[in-house]
Amino acid sequence: MLYREAGDFKTSYAKDNQTFPIKFDRWGYWVILIAAAFVVPFVVNDYWASALLVPFLIYAIAALGLNILTGYCGQVSLGTGGFMAVGAYASYKLMTAFPWMDMFTVTILSGFVTAAVGLLFGLPSLRIKGFYLAVATLAAQFFLVWLFNKVPWFYNYSASGQINAPEREVFGILVTGPNTQPWAEYTFCLIFVVALAWVARNLTRGTVGRKWMAIRDMDIAAEIIGVNPLRAKLSAFGVSSFFIGIAGALFFTVYLGAVEVGEAFGIQKSFLVLFMVIIGGLGSIFGSFAGAAFLVLLPVVLKVLGVDLLGWPTDIVAHLNLVIVGALIVFFLVVEPHGLAQLWRLTKEKLRLWPFPH
Amino acid sequence: MPDQLLFGMEVALNGLMAGVMYALVALGFVLIFKASGIFNYAQGVMALFAAMTLVGIQNGQVPFAHLINATFGTDIHHFGWEVPALLAILLTVVVMIAFAWMVNRFVFQHLVNQEPIILFMATIGLAFFLEGVADLMWGSEIKTLDVGLPQGINEYIDSATFEAFGYGFFIDNLDIVATIIAALLVAGLVAFSQYTKQGRALRAVADDHQAALSVGISLNFIWVLVWSIAGFVALVAGIMWGAKSGVQFSLSLIALKALPVLMLGGFTSIPGAIVGGLIIGVGEKLFEFLIGAPYLGGATENWFAYVLALVFLVFRPQGLFGEKIIERV
């Protein structure tokens, strides 16, 4: 009833090409956005912020970044953890070297630093593709983690080898450090998520995005029709690393506060983000959010069900988590390779026709 | 001879032995990739699973004991018997064949004709699944594996080299055994694919699925066969690595070490896997010895193999022995 396009007239091309062509969707989008910006910060408590919302927002940024590279441009990357580490260490060095700099600038600059590193490791993608490239990005993963472990300059010669986020403010409100209010952490991340999702959406439906998709679908054909593979691939690597760098910076400064590189940004993180992209849906902005929400929620739900309700030991639940995630990956690839986003799309199609089958 | 050079030679020799171990894992990859075009990320976890199963059967552990105890409030752990090593290995082979059948039945039968990258991601999912199952089944604590392989320093080489150079080389007996077994395994695999009917069918499938189907080769059977062989290779690798450093989670990470080996040797070539393994094994040990430890603060073994493979690939994208990649629109 509600979900109809009948009577929803468009009078210009711009309107026809908008992100949410159906009125109900458009309203839903604004309602969610307003609720996220003006309701959630007032009701959020420490548990919700640190267990669900903040990790969800940060992983959503990382998943968006990886989705640009893997979903839109077709370059599989297993180096996400390494690039997140670059973002984290860049923000740490900036915060300690320029204490007066505000956190927005710090985070965005960390994104640019990561983009530069990403471009460097993206260079081999011009010669090698597919699995070969996936392994090449593993080189980035292991090399970067090793580098941050071994070179004391990166962790300011601290004895433990850890990096700790000092307290920094935005407009007089504390956003990093141990004394931060949960709503401040949440709002700070939300601003980045909304801005970056908007950028990603508009990049992927413009010229740049179409070039990426042409490369993904068939790179040689794309080259013949005039897409420059060098620029398309490198821009995908750059933009993707920018997103992932910001996610890494937020992960360190806002979420964890203290980081040991091998633990926080190991290969497992790369796989986690890749799984978010696969489960959510390759080549879909909504899918990045859905995948991030799903994989952040799953361990929490399992813990509540297994440990709190059934009284199982935590290690069994952790192993079950692995089994379920693995099975889900396979399940999604078999049943719906385009992930949750495609399921959502199908639901919408059905709703538009409801109650008629055709 | 100067000490430094002798020491370097010893490092290189040990690198060769480590390379054999990498090659063992890489072999499993190559087998599956050749016959089905699937890049099997789960190979390392399969080695872990095989080794854990072997230890579990040997000690008469009850599978899923932890889970059963937690669910039903019981307290069972062991059957109370010990299985001799040979019988345990045979039983593990049976388990790996059952696993191969299930993988084919529940996963890859449904993914025929998908893009290679989708298949690759499916094997990553499979790896996670199998790792969780292995931990649930046999418990995640570190286990020692003992199937009666000789271990420790080889006295003969030590004394012989001491007499010749005045410096005894340290070579682990286990590494020598691993090398011999690896050589036998490769010889066996080559003989199998050259001289048996199933082997020929396997090569036919590797060449062209469609053509193989049309001359009456059962694709399903071949895939189960290939996964079983890969499971067997994983078991051998699991035994070697398990005997060397204990059966624990890090075993599954040797898959990550085998990847650069493959890139270097080429995905489709058994000799490539071996040569690649040796190059990487020697390369990373020597690099650590000559440059890593003195100048870079050590632990370069973590990334050296990848960076070497990466640099190499930029000049020769198909690897040393790989088939040339031809692309057409």
Short mmCIF file of all heavy atoms in Angstrom, two decimals, chain A residues 215-238:
data_model
loop_
_atom_site.label_atom_id
_atom_site.label_comp_id
_atom_site.label_asym_id
_atom_site.label_seq_id
_atom_site.Cartn_x
_atom_site.Cartn_y
_atom_site.Cartn_z
N ILE A 215 35.86 -1.66 -15.83
CA ILE A 215 37.08 -2.42 -15.57
C ILE A 215 36.74 -3.74 -14.89
O ILE A 215 37.29 -4.80 -15.20
CB ILE A 215 38.05 -1.61 -14.69
CG1 ILE A 215 38.61 -0.43 -15.47
CG2 ILE A 215 39.17 -2.47 -14.15
CD1 ILE A 215 39.68 -0.77 -16.44
N ARG A 216 35.80 -3.68 -13.94
CA ARG A 216 35.43 -4.88 -13.21
C ARG A 216 34.82 -5.91 -14.15
O ARG A 216 35.18 -7.09 -14.11
CB ARG A 216 34.41 -4.52 -12.13
CG ARG A 216 33.75 -5.72 -11.46
CD ARG A 216 32.55 -5.30 -10.65
NE ARG A 216 31.47 -4.82 -11.50
CZ ARG A 216 30.36 -4.25 -11.03
NH1 ARG A 216 30.20 -4.09 -9.76
NH2 ARG A 216 29.42 -3.84 -11.86
N ASP A 217 33.92 -5.45 -15.02
CA ASP A 217 33.18 -6.42 -15.83
C ASP A 217 34.05 -7.05 -16.89
O ASP A 217 33.97 -8.24 -17.14
CB ASP A 217 31.96 -5.75 -16.46
CG ASP A 217 30.95 -5.39 -15.40
OD1 ASP A 217 31.00 -5.99 -14.32
OD2 ASP A 217 30.12 -4.50 -15.64
N MET A 218 34.87 -6.28 -17.54
CA MET A 218 35.79 -6.87 -18.51
C MET A 218 36.85 -5.83 -18.82
O MET A 218 36.61 -4.88 -19.57
CB MET A 218 35.05 -7.27 -19.77
CG MET A 218 35.86 -8.25 -20.58
SD MET A 218 34.91 -8.92 -21.90
CE MET A 218 35.81 -10.41 -22.20
N ASP A 219 38.02 -6.03 -18.26
CA ASP A 219 38.98 -4.94 -18.32
C ASP A 219 39.50 -4.67 -19.72
O ASP A 219 39.71 -3.52 -20.09
CB ASP A 219 40.13 -5.18 -17.33
CG ASP A 219 40.72 -6.56 -17.44
OD1 ASP A 219 40.16 -7.38 -18.19
OD2 ASP A 219 41.73 -6.83 -16.78
N ILE A 220 39.65 -5.74 -20.51
CA ILE A 220 40.21 -5.50 -21.85
C ILE A 220 39.21 -4.74 -22.72
O ILE A 220 39.56 -3.78 -23.42
CB ILE A 220 40.58 -6.84 -22.50
CG1 ILE A 220 41.73 -7.45 -21.70
CG2 ILE A 220 41.02 -6.63 -23.93
CD1 ILE A 220 42.20 -8.74 -22.23
N ALA A 221 37.93 -5.16 -22.62
CA ALA A 221 36.91 -4.45 -23.37
C ALA A 221 36.83 -2.99 -22.94
O ALA A 221 36.68 -2.09 -23.77
CB ALA A 221 35.56 -5.14 -23.18
N ALA A 222 36.94 -2.77 -21.65
CA ALA A 222 36.88 -1.40 -21.14
C ALA A 222 38.02 -0.57 -21.72
O ALA A 222 37.83 0.58 -22.12
CB ALA A 222 36.96 -1.42 -19.62
N GLU A 223 39.18 -1.19 -21.81
CA GLU A 223 40.34 -0.46 -22.34
C GLU A 223 40.10 -0.08 -23.80
O GLU A 223 40.43 1.02 -24.23
CB GLU A 223 41.57 -1.36 -22.21
CG GLU A 223 42.87 -0.60 -22.29
CD GLU A 223 44.06 -1.52 -22.06
OE1 GLU A 223 43.85 -2.60 -21.49
OE2 GLU A 223 45.16 -1.14 -22.48
N ILE A 224 39.48 -1.01 -24.54
CA ILE A 224 39.24 -0.75 -25.96
C ILE A 224 38.26 0.40 -26.15
O ILE A 224 38.43 1.23 -27.04
CB ILE A 224 38.73 -2.04 -26.64
CG1 ILE A 224 39.87 -3.04 -26.71
CG2 ILE A 224 38.20 -1.75 -28.02
CD1 ILE A 224 39.44 -4.42 -27.06
N ILE A 225 37.23 0.47 -25.28
CA ILE A 225 36.28 1.57 -25.47
C ILE A 225 36.76 2.87 -24.82
O ILE A 225 36.01 3.82 -24.73
CB ILE A 225 34.87 1.23 -24.94
CG1 ILE A 225 34.94 0.87 -23.46
CG2 ILE A 225 34.25 0.11 -25.74
CD1 ILE A 225 33.59 0.81 -22.82
N GLY A 226 37.98 2.91 -24.36
CA GLY A 226 38.55 4.19 -23.98
C GLY A 226 38.66 4.46 -22.49
O GLY A 226 38.91 5.59 -22.10
N VAL A 227 38.46 3.45 -21.66
CA VAL A 227 38.72 3.66 -20.24
C VAL A 227 40.20 3.44 -20.00
O VAL A 227 40.76 2.43 -20.42
CB VAL A 227 37.91 2.66 -19.39
CG1 VAL A 227 38.25 2.81 -17.92
CG2 VAL A 227 36.43 2.86 -19.62
N ASN A 228 40.81 4.39 -19.36
CA ASN A 228 42.23 4.24 -19.05
C ASN A 228 42.38 3.36 -17.82
O ASN A 228 42.05 3.78 -16.71
CB ASN A 228 42.83 5.62 -18.80
CG ASN A 228 44.31 5.57 -18.55
OD1 ASN A 228 44.87 4.49 -18.29
ND2 ASN A 228 44.96 6.71 -18.64
N PRO A 229 42.88 2.11 -18.00
CA PRO A 229 42.91 1.20 -16.85
C PRO A 229 43.81 1.71 -15.73
O PRO A 229 43.50 1.52 -14.54
CB PRO A 229 43.44 -0.11 -17.42
CG PRO A 229 44.00 0.22 -18.73
CD PRO A 229 43.41 1.49 -19.21
N LEU A 230 44.91 2.38 -16.11
CA LEU A 230 45.81 2.92 -15.09
C LEU A 230 45.06 3.86 -14.16
O LEU A 230 45.07 3.71 -12.95
CB LEU A 230 46.96 3.66 -15.77
CG LEU A 230 47.94 4.33 -14.80
CD1 LEU A 230 49.16 3.47 -14.62
CD2 LEU A 230 48.35 5.70 -15.29
N ARG A 231 44.36 4.82 -14.76
CA ARG A 231 43.69 5.82 -13.92
C ARG A 231 42.51 5.22 -13.18
O ARG A 231 42.28 5.55 -12.01
CB ARG A 231 43.26 7.00 -14.78
CG ARG A 231 44.46 7.81 -15.20
CD ARG A 231 44.14 8.84 -16.22
NE ARG A 231 43.24 9.88 -15.69
CZ ARG A 231 42.92 10.95 -16.39
NH1 ARG A 231 43.41 11.11 -17.60
NH2 ARG A 231 42.11 11.85 -15.89
N ALA A 232 41.77 4.32 -13.85
CA ALA A 232 40.60 3.75 -13.18
C ALA A 232 41.02 2.93 -11.98
O ALA A 232 40.49 3.09 -10.88
CB ALA A 232 39.81 2.90 -14.17
N LYS A 233 42.00 2.04 -12.18
CA LYS A 233 42.40 1.16 -11.08
C LYS A 233 43.04 1.96 -9.96
O LYS A 233 42.73 1.75 -8.78
CB LYS A 233 43.37 0.10 -11.57
CG LYS A 233 42.70 -1.00 -12.35
CD LYS A 233 43.72 -2.03 -12.79
CE LYS A 233 43.06 -3.11 -13.62
NZ LYS A 233 44.06 -4.03 -14.17
N LEU A 234 43.93 2.88 -10.33
CA LEU A 234 44.61 3.62 -9.27
C LEU A 234 43.65 4.52 -8.52
O LEU A 234 43.76 4.68 -7.30
CB LEU A 234 45.77 4.44 -9.85
CG LEU A 234 47.02 3.62 -10.16
CD1 LEU A 234 48.17 4.53 -10.53
CD2 LEU A 234 47.41 2.73 -9.01
N SER A 235 42.67 5.12 -9.24
CA SER A 235 41.72 5.95 -8.51
C SER A 235 40.90 5.09 -7.56
O SER A 235 40.60 5.52 -6.43
CB SER A 235 40.81 6.71 -9.47
OG SER A 235 40.05 5.82 -10.23
N ALA A 236 40.55 3.88 -7.98
CA ALA A 236 39.81 2.99 -7.07
C ALA A 236 40.66 2.66 -5.85
O ALA A 236 40.17 2.72 -4.72
CB ALA A 236 39.41 1.70 -7.78
N PHE A 237 41.94 2.36 -6.08
CA PHE A 237 42.81 2.07 -4.94
C PHE A 237 42.93 3.28 -4.02
O PHE A 237 42.87 3.16 -2.79
CB PHE A 237 44.21 1.66 -5.43
CG PHE A 237 44.40 0.18 -5.48
CD1 PHE A 237 44.23 -0.51 -6.66
CD2 PHE A 237 44.71 -0.54 -4.34
CE1 PHE A 237 44.38 -1.88 -6.71
CE2 PHE A 237 44.86 -1.90 -4.37
CZ PHE A 237 44.70 -2.57 -5.57
N GLY A 238 43.07 4.48 -4.62
CA GLY A 238 43.23 5.69 -3.83
C GLY A 238 41.99 5.97 -2.99
O GLY A 238 42.07 6.16 -1.77
#
